[in-house]
Amino acid sequence: MFWTSGDVGLVVFVLPALVFSFWAQARVRAAFERYSRVGPSGGKTGAQVAAEVLRRAGLTEVGVLQVSGELTDHYDPRQRVVCLSPAVYGSASLAALGVAAHEAGHAIQHAVGYRPLAVRNSLAPAVGFGSQAAVPLFFLGLIFGWGPLLDLGLFLMLGVVAFAVLTLPVEYDASRRALAELQAGGYLRTDDEVRGAREVLNAAALTYVAALAVALAQLLRMALLREGRRR
């Protein structure tokens, strides 16, 4: 059987990365569900913890709001608001505390001028376009045999990979800040509680590693296709 460079790239790079991504998503959901049933000693909700972490950091101007959806928690640097999903906002669980403190950690990063976050936020609009346009433009270049379009698609995908690389230290630093704040504030009072919150945060961080793996696999596959086109 004759295999093209695209077939090799799909099997060797893309499919394993997709499997890893599905596994990471399943793991974060399993960890969240498990520890959403475990209440911390302090008994405070995710919204209360996020507000108190922000207040201790002197960020009284940063709000805490509930947003719809599942695992939609994020920090909005433009509005300066920590947005928490219903399962986090009103829940008093280890999972809710970990996620809420993580998003508050992003607000602290923003306030102290954490450089990787600033660079990531500045690149986000362009990378958002690139992530949508890279593959369609590249395959249009393949169909019509136009090299510049192939190169543009590769360049845009390279930007997506660079953004994914930059995201890792931002997310891991936010989780580090979250655990430190939860322990310093007395929200986690036992080793088991610290372990549970850490497991939730580590599982969530794996999704960003998986996103990098998928983007890198797609880039390598596109590079193989581009090289095959030149031959």
Side-chain angles (χ1 to χ4, degrees):
M1 182 172 59
F2 179 73
W3 284 58
T4 67
S5 57
D7 295 328
V8 173
L10 180 64
V11 173
V12 175
F13 299 126
V14 178
L15 289 182
L18 288 175
V19 170
F20 177 48
S21 178
F22 293 143
W23 173 80
Q25 291 289 344
R27 182 175 174 184
V28 71
R29 289 183 180 277
F32 187 87
E33 289 177 7
R34 176 184 178 186
Y35 288 104
S36 66
R37 297 190 293 268
V38 180
S41 302
K44 293 190 175 181
T45 66
Q48 290 172 322
V49 169
E52 291 178 14
V53 168
L54 293 169
R55 185 167 61 250
R56 285 205 312 274
L59 303 181
T60 55
E61 74 283 4
V62 178
V64 180
L65 296 178
Q66 179 173 306
V67 294
S68 61
E70 182 181 356
L71 298 178
T72 50
D73 312 272
H74 64 282
Y75 169 65
D76 186 339
R78 292 167 297 181
Q79 301 297 324
R80 303 206 69 184
V81 173
V82 170
C83 301
L84 303 177
S85 63
V88 172
Y89 187 92
S91 173
S93 69
L94 289 180
L97 265 60
V99 172
H102 177 90
E103 300 308 333
H106 282 312
I108 295 173
Q109 289 175 332
H110 186 204
V112 301
Y114 182 63
R115 187 63 179 169
L117 178 68
V119 175
R120 188 184 74 165
N121 287 345
S122 66
L123 294 176
V127 173
F129 167 78
S131 66
Q132 298 294 319
V135 173
L137 288 176
F138 181 85
F139 281 96
L140 280 175
L142 277 180
I143 292 170
F144 294 107
W146 193 27
L149 206 55
L150 292 171
D151 293 337
L152 177 59
L154 273 173
F155 177 77
L156 291 176
M157 184 54 67
L158 182 61
V160 174
V161 171
F163 185 81
V165 170
L166 187 61
T167 294
L168 292 182
V170 173
E171 297 301 328
Y172 277 101
D173 180 76
S175 290
R176 178 189 63 79
R177 293 175 190 268
L179 278 176
E181 290 291 341
L182 289 173
Q183 291 178 274
Y187 304 109
L188 304 177
R189 300 177 183 175
T190 68
D191 290 342
D192 285 342
E193 290 179 349
V194 173
R195 191 178 303 112
R198 181 181 288 116
E199 185 174 332
V200 171
L201 292 170
N202 286 344
L206 268 181
T207 63
Y208 296 100
V209 177
L212 170 59
V214 171
L216 183 58
Q218 190 65 267
L219 176 66
L220 292 173
R221 184 193 181 204
M222 290 164 68
L224 278 177
L225 287 168
R226 180 70 174 94
E227 186 62 27
R229 192 69 171 177
R230 286 173 175 168
R231 292 174 182 175

